Amino acid sequence: MARFAGKVFLISGGARGLGAAQARQLVAQGAKVVVGDLLEDAGQALAAELGPAAVFQRLDVTEATQWRAAVEAAERLGPLNGLVNNAGIFLPAPILEVDTAMFERHWRVNELGTFLGMQAVVPAFVRTGGGSIVNISSSAGIRGVPNAIHYSANKFAVRGMTKAAAIELADRNIRVNSVHPGMVDTDLLKIRPAELNLAFAQTQPIKRLATPDEIAGPVLFLLSDESRYMTGAEVAVDGGRTL
Ligand SMILES: NC(=O)c1ccc[n+]([C@@H]2O[C@H](COP(=O)([O-])OP(=O)(O)OC[C@H]3O[C@@H](n4cnc5c(N)ncnc54)[C@H](O)[C@@H]3O)[C@@H](O)[C@H]2O)c1
């Protein structure tokens, strides 16, 4: 029997990058998936590629009402088993160039969006009898990095919210863990020249960028029953970057 047969998952920011890799792996292993994203064309194309097991739902993670609609879309597929709070933005800038608007934009998507996602799925998980939340943080949520104070702020917050929620939700059979990718080859990093990303990777033990599939594997582990004794954990998937 497939590992995730009959299970239903919701992935925010699932239209491309890390989220799309998670959706592909989940469907390949028997799951049904709602891909939530702002990017309608990419999201629809992914859902078409994955067939009837996948549905695209337009989702702006900063809007609680849109989260409610995404959870409803997931429950039309069956009882909801897991959420990946994966949507995120990263626009690097030095401290003196981070204005209030840029700080707030990162806060709204990366931090508020993650909070609203957790809040939205709890009633659905109670109906299911439990569930697993995986919050995508970053190596920048474990240690400080330059030109990313506004991003680090939210990614540290995601790590903290994960632990607070893990304690509060354990008695409802809901587990909450965070995953901390290092540098992954996606559109997010195209804001910097490829040579610069490679140069950063050369400073870590595994001297290359990750592929999205290399992050999806640990995410699926945390969504699965194989990790049933794990909650509140922070899982670095970073080639040793934060050692
Ligand atoms: N790529 C990396 O090196 C890296 C490293 C550490 C952490 N991360 C984290 O991994 C996650 C996925 O990043 P990625 O590399 O796949 O980037 P990506 O830019 O390829 O994908 C991010 C997705 O999030 C979506 N999104 C952005 N704002 C949204 C909103 N308000 N509502 C809904 N969706 C929204 C985008 O449309 C996009 O599809 C992010 O949280 C990011 O911070 C990435």
Side-chain angles (χ1 to χ4, degrees):
M1 173 125 85
R3 188 187 191 193
F4 293 106
K7 305 272 188 191
V8 178
F9 298 94
L10 171 56
I11 304 173
S12 73
R16 70 181 193 192
L18 270 57
Q22 294 154 22
R24 287 190 177 98
Q25 287 195 18
L26 280 168
V27 169
Q29 296 180 48
K32 295 178 189 168
V33 172
V34 170
V35 172
D37 206 300
L38 292 172
L39 299 178
E40 300 201 18
D41 290 350
Q44 296 283 13
L46 179 64
E49 171 199 321
L50 294 178
V55 170
F56 171 72
Q57 172 80 26
R58 191 189 185 280
L59 169 66
D60 179 344
V61 294
T62 69
E63 297 290 339
T65 51
Q66 295 193 24
W67 269 113
R68 280 197 283 281
V71 170
E72 282 170 19
E75 287 194 303
R76 283 195 284 276
L77 302 177
L80 183 61
N81 299 100
L83 163 70
V84 187
N85 260 319
N86 167 82
I89 57 169
F90 173 52
L91 300 164
I95 288 179
L96 296 183
E97 290 174 23
V98 178
D99 60 15
T100 303
M102 189 187 254
F103 193 94
E104 278 185 355
R105 192 173 160 204
H106 281 73
W107 175 79
R108 288 191 72 79
V109 178
N110 297 348
E111 184 172 337
L112 179 66
T114 298
F115 163 70
L116 291 175
M118 289 197 283
Q119 200 175 48
V121 296
V122 168
F125 284 171
V126 168
R127 287 190 280 278
T128 303
S132 174
I133 298 171
V134 179
N135 291 327
I136 305 298
S137 176
S138 168
S139 52
I142 293 181
R143 71 166 199 201
V145 291
N147 299 320
I149 194 165
H150 47 317
Y151 181 75
S152 265
N154 336 131
K155 292 301 187 177
F156 267 76
V158 168
R159 179 173 163 215
M161 289 193 294
T162 297
K163 294 179 195 310
I167 293 168
E168 202 175 320
L169 298 175
D171 63 358
R172 276 162 267 188
N173 198 26
I174 298 171
R175 300 184 297 108
V176 192
N177 295 285
S178 59
V179 166
H180 300 258
M183 289 196 301
V184 194
D185 191 10
T186 69
D187 286 324
L188 187 107
L189 284 192
K190 292 200 172 120
I191 186 109
R192 288 194 302 236
E195 310 78 59
L196 191 57
N197 289 325
L198 278 174
F200 285 148
Q202 292 297 312
T203 66
Q204 62 194 41
I206 299 178
K207 299 184 191 305
R208 63 171 177 82
L209 274 62
T211 67
D213 277 329
E214 289 172 322
I215 311 301
V219 170
L220 265 63
F221 167 71
L222 290 170
L223 291 173
S224 79
D225 277 349
E226 293 152 43
S227 59
R228 60 189 168 275
Y229 198 60
M230 290 177 72
T231 197
E234 50 195 70
V235 178
V237 191
D238 63 0
R241 189 166 183 73
T242 51
L243 293 177

